[in-house]
Amino acid sequence: MVACRAIGILSRFSAFRILRSRARTHINYGVKGDVAVVRINSPNSKVNTLSKELHSEFSEVMNEIWASDQIRSAVLISSKPGCFIAGADINMLAACKTLQEVTQLSQEAQRIVEKLEKSTKPIVAAINGSCLGGGLEVAISCQYRIATKDRKTVLGTPEVLLGALPGAGGTQRLPKMVGVPAALDMMLTGRSIRADRAKKMGLVDQLVEPLGPGLKPPEERTIEYLEEVAITFAKGLADKKISPKRDKGLVEKLTAYAMTIPFVRQQVYKKVEEKVRKQTKGLYPAPLKIIDVVKTGIEQGSDAGYLCESQKFGELVMTKESKALMGLYHGQVLCKKNKFGAPQKDVKHLAILGAGLMGAGIAQVSVDKGLKTILKDATLTALDRGQQQVFKGLNDKVKKKALTSFERDSIFSNLTGQLDYQGFEKADMVIEAVFEDLSLKHRVLKEVEAVIPDHCIFASNTSALPISEIAAVSKRPEKVIGMHYFSPVDKMQLLEIITTEKTSKDTSASAVAVGLKQGKVIIVVKDGPGFYTTRCLAPMMSEVIRILQEGVDPKKLDSLTTSFGFPVGAATLVDEVGVDVAKHVAEDLGKVFGERFGGGNPELLTQMVSKGFLGRKSGKGFYIYQEGVKRKDLNSDMDSILASLKLPPKSEVSSDEDIQFRLVTRFVNEAVMCLQEGILATPAEGDIGAVFGLGFPPCLGGPFRFVDLYGAQKIVDRLKKYEAAYGKQFTPCQLLADHANSPNKKFYQ
Amino acid sequence: MTILTYPFKNLPTASKWALRFSIRPLSCSSQLRAAPVFVFKLYLKAVQTKTKKTLAKPNIRNVVVVDGVRTPFLLSGTSYKDLMPHDLARAALTGLLHRTSVPKEVVDYIIFGTVIQEVKTSNVAREAALGAGFSDKTPAHTVTMACISANQAMTTGVGLIASGQCDVIVAGGVELMSDVPIRHSRKMRKLMLDLNKAKSMGQRLSLISKFRFNFLAPELPAVSEFSTSETMGHSADRLAAAFAVSRLEQDEYALRSHSLAKKAQDEGLLSDVVPFKVPGKDTVTKDNGIRPSSLEQMAKLKPAFIKPYGTVTAANSSFLTDGASAMLIMAEEKALAMGYKPKAYLRDFMYVSQDPKDQLLLGPTYATPKVLEKAGLTMNDIDAFEFHEAFSGQILANFKAMDSDWFAENYMGRKTKVGLPPLEKFNNWGGSLSLGHPFGATGCRLVMAAANRLRKEGGQYGLVAACAAGGQGHAMIVEAYPK
């Protein structure tokens, strides 16, 4: 009897277990009338990603829906606010060992979306939040798309940014849906498209306005409303009261017609290919393959297109470039977190000293996030210029329709421009962006400390002055920290935060929190001359000067560096940064690091400064800059300076490739040294800092990823070759040598 | 605490009363010395007829509505279409003079509300008053606060009387949507202004050469909220969706409004309407927007703003209206001294404002509990509710908000919900949906409807509430004048 019961319990328990194991974790669905509502909600994550589990649950659910007699249509929606489907699971791709595995993944995904497309029961994708990559591919295979007109709702195919292509039929469906030119633009740039734009393009069929407060939190009710609207459309589609076909505009019809002419098509492919080649300089394989796949689909039919898509997808995912770009993506995610935790006190009132390019830039990215910001300068002219810069930055967004003029005005009212220290008693953080001069920085630090409250943090925006030296005159060094922004602040994503030994953890937490609020990607490094970024750049710049002294034309040097993958040529970079700043940094760091930072003669910069060739800001540097003129001409007045400092080139290390590697290896060597010395905490931060702050070629993934993928041994060999020609400046650092000696050692495991 | 309840509750302090009575005559002009006597009489009457307290306040003059009138409210583009706003306003003013026979010279001040301004008559109050034959010694100004402009005109008057600055005020409002100022584009205006200043032929020619045909594109008055660029109908549709108000509910409510308005019109209850002989046309005697339809007919309409699936349609929205209203308000003692029998007291009022994007039309929800609390009343004390009906969806969303604890806790900082106004006391003679809504004039109509309903239906307190563009709102307590 007892045994029986026990067995009964056991069996019931196991039955329960079976049910449990069949219960779905990513997807659930309910039926409203004759409409199935499929809700995606991946557990323990802010976003839904297309993982293997989600794939299989999704197929299971859809099969049930197709098999059911009661169900006539379906709605596909996410339960997560702010995310429909963010794309394929990158880790799933990264786990693939072979090309075949990746191709197979792509083919599986293709099959699932094809079934959606061929569904006899209409499926409505109800999109709220990000609908990217694989998410968009799912959406465009549905019969109808409804999106919320929310800022968070964006559609796009960002695969190209990860060195891949849309691998679930996107390359085939997107051109049919929005036309070849628009589809290529989306896939080649990876740009995110806002809902209203998507509606105009024909990417979505209806828009739903986000709702305000009602009887539930706005976000929750908006999703519910989206679902209600989607259900009425699903019913309408099933009843054939609504047609999934969309009226095309005249321009669209004309383009579509033009694209039916083979000659026109060939011209379009040619034009796009040319443009891509010019922009990628052959460094990124993905864009050309995307064009290839699109072309195959159009010219040879969808079957060939799908096959080509999955194969090229596999090939691309296995490339070094893709691995480098995916690594950067992971690094970026990492650098968007505050590893110090939440600060004790939120910074609500910010004060910025110095309304120059940097100060005003920092102000701009602060006020538009709702921070009350004081911008202080010593003179009215400087202050005016700074305030105008902030206004212009915001107004440009109005012109691009990213802001309304009303929002601009209300954001701008967060800014107070002033010449005195009024209101500093309320400041939670002061960021100084005054001229790079230690005694000036000391003076303002003392002035500020006299007026700010005890909890207020003093942050210094300096690119080279050691923070501990600035903090030396502080009464409260634990509240002093470095926040190194990059110019132009509103465009450059990186923020380098520098902590001294005395900086408290809470101060760091606060600085990171402010940086994240400003939308920055943040690396935290230890104090030292040049910190991380400036220190890596300095030896490379020294090499730039030497190369110029050796008679390489600035234009030629620029083209060598850009063709290696740097976004800005080396000579142009000096002009952009400012020759005086470069000189300052070269002198400061030269003093500290001595011979290792030598190479080019700093006299070149000194002479340029004395002649007023300060770069873009003064209208002349290596190039001549004129308002409204795009073409850059060489500054012929530089010839005499260069001639006076001419060095004989060493032919054994002066090939184009050698010149490129002389620059890059010095950069990489110094970066690895920063990790060796503990300036950097992780290689990931080193890569993010180099790519986002200094424009290190993204296709190489950053100096550390580059060493891993290219091979430490090869880099050390290069360095030794140059060391033989030039000496100590090229001596590989210990950590790099270690990696070369044991090939299993990698910065990324 | 009010004057009239004071003696009952605090008998021992009655001596203070004596003190106040003795001081007041000193501080008042000789004309007003009789006031305390009137207050005392009133107090006796109130005790005889009512058991409820009244809302008079110590040391603050009572403000009364002697009477109020309005022109018939017409769909824009009908009989008033050739008029100018001041013509309509003048009709309301002469109607008021006729109805009350008030001697023009006793009017201290005239205030009118308006929203879309005719540029030629930007101070429409003054132009209308001059034409209506008011003394040219009576100053007038115009106020604007979107759909609560007339409310602002009234409460400005209340303030002037309560502070002792004035005794007799005419407040009103006007809107003429048949004609709106359409301007040249900014570029064209700039060119024309620069041409004015150009001194030589050369300068003129060089300016003219800058002319482009697109300069001629006209600029219409904004129909959308300036801060959010969203039209009000669109916002109302979103509001209805946020509170899950269905299309059917909205149509039913609109039908109710039209049916009640029709009934009130047929029974002659809309006594504030004065006939208006439109120059060159027939005399207009009644509102022409009341059109009770059927739910089936209404269900056929397509959404007007959020297409194709929204719920706000032409049938469940208020329509563009031409009309004007005017009201004679006085210090109580002045009215009584002049031998008037006032219709109502204007008591506590409240202005509120909130997010113009997502809570544009929720003013009544916010203003109602505040004004009730200020007056020391509860929802149960109110006998006549007169809410401005911008859209069915807006009224019903406000109802749902007032009936929600969640909304009260999360958005109003209240522990419990406001509570629902009982529908049998709500807009019983129709509302803006059916009678029409001339933006600048509706406020006075609401107050007169409340006052007239209290007289007709019996009851002491009326509550007037309205929403307005800009996310603002207003509520006021109207107290019936004891019979």
Side-chain angles (χ1 to χ4, degrees), chain A residues 628-677:
Chain A
V629 179
K630 263 210 158 165
R631 198 171 49 95
K632 281 188 306 186
D633 288 320
L634 279 175
N635 178 7
S636 54
D637 296 341
M638 282 299 296
D639 295 350
S640 60
I641 301 179
L642 284 168
S644 71
L645 294 165
K646 196 162 171 52
L647 289 173
K650 303 197 178 196
S651 59
E652 71 276 20
V653 288
S654 293
S655 72
D656 286 357
E657 201 189 350
D658 277 323
I659 287 177
Q660 289 172 331
F661 271 92
R662 272 162 61 191
L663 294 169
V664 174
T665 50
R666 282 192 76 174
F667 189 119
V668 170
N669 193 26
E670 199 60 37
V672 176
M673 198 148 187
C674 285
L675 184 65
Q676 177 185 312
E677 290 179 1

Side-chain angles (χ1 to χ4, degrees), chain A residues 146 206-218 221 224-225 228-229 232-233 404-407 409, chain B residues 226-227 229-230 234 237-239 241-244 306-309 357-359 362 400-401 404 406-407 411:
Chain A
I146 303 178
Q206 292 293 340
L207 294 180
V208 165
E209 292 281 338
L211 300 180
L215 300 174
K216 284 177 184 170
R221 175 64 193 148
E224 208 177 84
Y225 179 54
E228 287 165 16
V229 173
T232 63
F233 277 93
T404 67
S405 58
F406 179 81
E407 284 167 326
D409 298 346
Chain B
F226 181 76
S227 59
S229 310
E230 189 183 26
H234 199 280
D237 206 320
R238 285 198 305 116
L239 186 72
F243 284 95
I306 296 189
K307 296 162 189 170
Y309 57 84
K357 173 83 183 157
D358 289 330
Q359 306 196 18
L362 285 180
K400 294 209 178 188
S404 162
W406 187 85
F407 186 83
Y411 288 93

Side-chain angles (χ1 to χ4, degrees), chain B residues 74-75 258 289-291 317-321 432-437:
Chain B
L74 300 191
L75 297 160
H258 279 280
I290 306 171
R291 35 180 184 164
S317 314
S318 56
F319 47 88
L320 292 183
T321 314
S432 299
L433 286 170
S434 45
L435 300 170
H437 171 41

Side-chain angles (χ1 to χ4, degrees), chain A residues 4-244:
Chain A
C4 261
R5 209 178 271 174
I7 290 168
I9 290 168
L10 210 69
S11 64
R12 226 181 295 160
F13 182 66
S14 58
F16 177 71
R17 278 286 296 272
I18 289 164
L19 266 178
R20 277 286 296 229
S21 70
R22 289 196 54 192
R24 300 179 187 103
T25 51
H26 293 264
I27 289 183
N28 65 69
Y29 85 101
V31 182
K32 291 195 172 171
D34 56 6
V35 183
V37 180
V38 181
R39 298 188 186 91
I40 312 166
N41 195 1
S42 293
N44 310 323
S45 165
K46 274 190 194 163
V47 295
N48 297 317
T49 48
L50 295 171
S51 58
K52 279 189 175 156
E53 299 83 55
L54 198 144
H55 269 173
S56 72
E57 285 186 17
F58 184 62
S59 311
E60 217 176 274
V61 165
M62 288 317 295
N63 285 334
E64 278 179 36
I65 288 170
W66 283 314
S68 162
D69 294 334
Q70 285 126 42
I71 296 170
R72 297 184 59 226
S73 59
V75 167
L76 188 57
I77 193 167
S78 157
S79 307
K80 291 191 195 298
C83 178
F84 176 68
I85 301 173
D89 182 1
I90 294 187
N91 295 328
M92 173 177 79
L93 293 178
C96 291
K97 297 264 173 338
T98 64
L99 192 153
Q100 285 73 22
E101 266 182 84
V102 185
T103 303
Q104 212 181 335
L105 274 181
S106 161
Q107 283 167 346
E108 276 164 30
Q110 284 179 349
R111 269 195 292 278
I112 294 175
V113 293
E114 194 188 358
K115 276 171 95 178
L116 287 181
E117 186 181 39
K118 300 230 166 99
S119 170
T120 48
K121 299 179 179 179
I123 305 168
V124 177
I127 304 160
N128 178 47
S130 48
C131 172
L132 300 171
L136 183 73
E137 293 176 291
V138 167
I140 60 175
S141 60
C142 293
Q143 280 68 37
Y144 209 74
R145 283 148 299 280
I146 303 178
T148 54
K149 202 179 154 187
D150 193 285
R151 284 233 164 118
K152 281 188 189 152
T153 300
V154 287
L155 299 94
T157 48
E159 288 89 346
V160 70
L161 303 175
L162 298 175
L165 54 75
T171 59
Q172 308 301 305
R173 276 186 198 94
L174 209 49
K176 284 183 194 146
M177 180 164 271
V178 298
V180 178
L184 281 177
D185 178 68
M186 278 179 73
M187 289 190 281
L188 294 176
T189 60
R191 81 174 87 216
S192 288
I193 292 166
R194 282 200 301 259
D196 44 353
R197 173 105 191 85
K199 169 91 176 6
K200 277 188 200 133
M201 288 171 66
L203 202 54
V204 300
D205 301 287
Q206 292 293 340
L207 294 180
V208 165
E209 292 281 338
L211 300 180
L215 300 174
K216 284 177 184 170
E219 280 187 336
E220 200 179 304
R221 175 64 193 148
T222 299
I223 295 181
E224 208 177 84
Y225 179 54
L226 173 66
E227 186 180 304
E228 287 165 16
V229 173
I231 287 174
T232 63
F233 277 93
K235 278 194 181 134
L237 286 163
D239 297 341
K240 308 247 185 290
K241 281 185 187 152
I242 297 166
S243 158

Side-chain angles (χ1 to χ4, degrees), chain A residues 335-397:
Chain A
C335 294
K336 283 269 184 192
K337 289 186 181 138
N338 192 343
K339 61 179 170 186
F340 299 99
Q344 283 166 18
K345 195 171 186 310
D346 266 348
V347 171
K348 295 208 172 92
H349 295 267
L350 183 68
I352 296 165
L353 300 176
L357 217 53
M358 296 304 284
I362 300 167
Q364 188 192 327
V365 298
S366 306
V367 288
D368 68 359
K369 311 299 182 312
L371 279 174
K372 292 267 171 219
T373 305
I374 293 173
L375 186 61
K376 181 200 173 299
D377 206 302
T379 68
L380 195 57
T381 355
L383 185 61
D384 274 355
R385 198 217 59 84
Q387 283 175 301
Q388 182 56 32
Q389 182 189 329
V390 178
F391 183 84
K392 185 174 179 297
L394 296 171
N395 201 37
D396 287 349
K397 287 192 177 172

Side-chain angles (χ1 to χ4, degrees), chain B residues 71-72 80 83 87-92 94 274-279 281-285:
Chain B
T71 69
Y80 298 155
L83 300 178
D87 296 326
L88 262 185
R90 196 174 61 238
T94 47
V274 290
F276 176 25
K277 169 70 182 79
V278 182
K281 292 201 172 112
D282 292 340
T283 302
V284 181
T285 55

